Amino acid sequence: MTQLNLIIIGGSGFLSGTLARQALASGHRVWVVTRGQRAMPSGVHALIADRQDSAAFARAIEQAQTTWDAVVDCIAYKADDVRQDIEVFASRTSHLIYVSTDVVYDPVQRRLPQDEERAVYLSD
């Protein structure tokens, strides 16, 4: 198996933390961008920055002096977040992956559990 360099944005939540642990268990090298408020699994390279602070986010990525096989963004909630990734990672990866959660659905219409058949998308 090929060992990959992966970076996960928002790597300390339920989904992103699970992705980080699974990637480590599969033998990959894992970085996460986190605000530093939660413990990271052993073996993860934590880059401390709040993605809402664009300059700090870009600085943290630059200071890592690394390229990644893939960037997995678990907290891209706005178009500006995606633009930020494209700008910051343009020369550092060829793969950007975005994970969608139930926040893409209209919160007024959100019923748990949410299913695809009755979901009302914000873009509709």
Side-chain angles (χ1 to χ4, degrees):
M1 177 179 73
T2 302
Q3 185 180 47
L4 300 175
N5 281 351
L6 304 172
I7 185 166
I8 301 168
I9 302 171
S12 64
F14 174 75
L15 176 64
S16 56
T18 300
L19 288 172
R21 288 187 297 279
Q22 194 64 41
L24 284 170
S26 296
H28 302 297
R29 291 179 297 265
V30 179
W31 286 255
V32 298
V33 178
T34 177
R35 291 176 294 169
Q37 298 177 344
R38 296 181 186 165
M40 293 290 103
S42 178
V44 166
H45 305 279
L47 305 178
I48 309 300
D50 185 336
R51 84 144 336 128
Q52 300 307 310
D53 181 342
S54 296
F57 181 84
R59 224 177 5 262
I61 302 307
E62 179 68 29
Q63 289 171 350
Q65 297 181 336
T66 304
T67 58
W68 291 277
D69 296 294
V71 176
V72 181
D73 195 331
C74 296
I75 57 169
Y77 301 123
K78 304 176 292 192
D80 285 342
D81 297 337
V82 175
R83 285 186 202 97
Q84 178 186 52
D85 287 349
I86 291 168
E87 180 180 309
V88 170
F89 291 106
S91 64
R92 297 187 176 281
T93 192
S94 58
H95 295 88
L96 292 172
I97 301 164
Y98 295 92
V99 178
S100 176
T101 65
D102 73 329
V103 298
V104 301
Y105 303 115
D106 181 0
V108 174
Q109 301 296 320
R110 184 181 298 151
R111 302 291 182 268
L112 298 175
Q114 184 72 282
D115 62 46
E116 292 293 321
E117 285 73 40
R118 46 187 188 123
V120 177
Y121 296 92
L122 291 174
S123 61
D124 287 348

